[in-house]
Amino acid sequence: MMENLFIDTLISQVRALDQFGTWANKADEDILKEKYVKSKEDLKNIPVIADIDEMQIQDIRLIYQAIALAFEKKTGIMCSVVMEMSHEGFGRAVVIAEKIVIVNKFFKDAHRYSFRTYEKLCEEGDKMLADAIKIYEEYKK
Amino acid sequence: MMENLFIDTLISQVRALDQFGTWANKADEDILKEKYVKSKEDLKNIPVIADIDEMQIQDIRLIYQAIALAFEKKTGIMCSVVMEMSHEGFGRAVVIAEKIVIVNKFFKDAHRYSFRTYEKLCEEGDKMLADAIKIYEEYKK
């Protein structure tokens, strides 16, 4: 149930950015696989020294934006994402609800940001969301 | 006392970046005035449509970094800055201690980020630091 909430939110965000209908006929799972799932073999082919491109940064941001939105749907508490990323792929993303940091993620090789399988993406999103709610409950006033 | 802590931290950060000794013979107050104090007249001469430059973004970051460091000196609690800024001068800076957002600042015209007088800079830094400590005390576990 929570798992679907994250994945449903993520896909609706991704589709919202599909201005030209490129993905209109594609299944949700296929779109998310294309964006976020990379095998070990795929990763070997990513040059480490190249600058990270804006598209990849946006795709990473969407994951945290989806956590933020899913958290809002679940709890009714507004939250927001602050993310900084250097061209070398070093960075940090935080999701903030009121004065509480509910997600805190460091990147050091964001070129390679990905999940090994689609199930892993669902699972990790689910876990981030559950952890976020737990932290919020612990710190809220 | 708190006021000096912020300003002392800020100037030591600024001087740490002065690799070539350009400011070695300049007084602290003059350096900070040059960077952060702008009169209404100065502001009129800043074009609104130009992209914000990296130097200005770094100078803004130093203010929040100084709050973070001053907070650490005062409380012994480590903290860090996450800042995002678009080329149009829209952005946000947060200072985070543990899971608590102790400073939260939005920018919408960062080209013009400045203080009217040196005293105003001291005062506002002082206030940000005092507020940060208050928020931390309220939320800490």
Side-chain angles (χ1 to χ4, degrees):
Chain A
M1 162 67 177
M2 286 260 285
E3 189 170 317
N4 289 343
L5 182 57
F6 166 72
I7 277 293
D8 291 352
T9 311
L10 181 59
I11 190 67
S12 67
Q13 293 235 85
V14 170
R15 283 199 188 274
L17 292 169
D18 180 24
Q19 285 182 289
F20 306 110
T22 321
W23 301 320
N25 295 317
K26 255 193 172 173
D28 290 353
E29 195 175 322
D30 292 337
I31 295 171
L32 294 179
K33 273 182 178 165
E34 200 175 295
K35 277 194 176 295
Y36 297 112
V37 176
K38 290 191 179 77
S39 67
K40 279 191 175 169
E41 203 50 46
D42 293 335
L43 286 178
K44 273 187 198 150
N45 297 321
I46 299 174
V48 192
I49 40 163
D51 274 7
I52 185 168
D53 65 24
E54 288 302 319
M55 190 68 186
Q56 169 77 346
I57 295 176
Q58 195 193 47
D59 285 346
I60 296 174
R61 193 185 185 95
L62 284 178
I63 295 272
Y64 296 92
Q65 213 103 46
I67 297 284
L69 264 176
F71 180 91
E72 279 181 33
K73 284 182 197 159
K74 190 84 185 165
T75 64
I77 311 294
M78 291 274 292
C79 50
S80 58
V81 177
V82 189
M83 187 169 131
E84 60 180 28
M85 181 73 74
S86 77
H87 290 293
E88 295 84 24
F90 284 85
R92 187 175 181 188
V94 291
V95 183
I96 295 169
E98 291 158 358
K99 298 218 174 295
I100 305 155
V101 180
I102 56 175
V103 176
N104 181 30
K105 168 78 181 172
F106 290 91
F107 305 99
K108 47 175 193 177
D109 196 4
H111 309 65
R112 306 163 88 78
Y113 184 87
S114 56
F115 302 85
R116 282 311 77 68
T117 62
Y118 177 74
E119 289 66 35
K120 212 68 193 143
L121 167 64
C122 298
E123 227 173 72
E124 291 194 23
D126 183 27
K127 188 175 178 314
M128 273 199 283
L129 182 55
D131 287 348
I133 292 170
K134 215 172 111 191
I135 291 166
Y136 179 77
E137 290 298 326
E138 192 187 335
Y139 279 86
K140 74 170 179 196
K141 289 289 139 192
Chain B
M1 163 68 178
M2 285 260 286
E3 190 171 317
N4 289 342
L5 182 58
F6 166 72
I7 277 294
D8 292 352
T9 311
L10 181 60
I11 190 66
S12 67
Q13 292 235 85
V14 170
R15 283 198 189 275
L17 291 170
D18 180 25
Q19 285 182 290
F20 305 110
T22 320
W23 301 320
N25 295 318
K26 257 194 170 171
D28 290 353
E29 195 175 321
D30 292 338
I31 294 171
L32 294 179
K33 273 182 177 164
E34 200 174 297
K35 277 194 177 293
Y36 297 112
V37 176
K38 290 192 180 76
S39 68
K40 278 190 176 170
E41 203 50 47
D42 294 334
L43 286 179
K44 273 186 198 151
N45 297 320
I46 299 174
V48 193
I49 39 162
D51 274 8
I52 186 167
D53 65 23
E54 288 301 318
M55 191 68 186
Q56 170 76 348
I57 295 175
Q58 195 193 46
D59 285 346
I60 296 174
R61 192 186 186 96
L62 284 177
I63 296 271
Y64 296 92
Q65 213 104 46
I67 298 283
L69 263 175
F71 180 91
E72 279 181 33
K73 284 182 197 158
K74 191 84 185 165
T75 64
I77 310 295
M78 292 274 292
C79 50
S80 58
V81 177
V82 188
M83 186 168 130
E84 61 180 27
M85 182 72 74
S86 77
H87 290 294
E88 295 85 23
F90 283 85
R92 188 176 180 187
V94 291
V95 184
I96 295 169
E98 291 159 358
K99 299 219 172 295
I100 304 155
V101 180
I102 56 174
V103 176
N104 182 30
K105 168 78 180 170
F106 290 91
F107 306 98
K108 46 176 194 176
D109 196 4
H111 308 68
R112 307 163 88 78
Y113 184 89
S114 57
F115 302 85
R116 283 310 78 67
T117 63
Y118 177 74
E119 289 66 34
K120 215 59 196 148
L121 168 64
C122 298
E123 228 173 71
E124 291 194 23
D126 184 28
K127 188 175 178 312
M128 272 199 283
L129 182 55
D131 287 348
I133 292 170
K134 216 172 110 193
I135 290 166
Y136 179 76
E137 290 298 327
E138 193 186 334
Y139 279 86
K140 73 170 180 198
K141 289 290 139 189

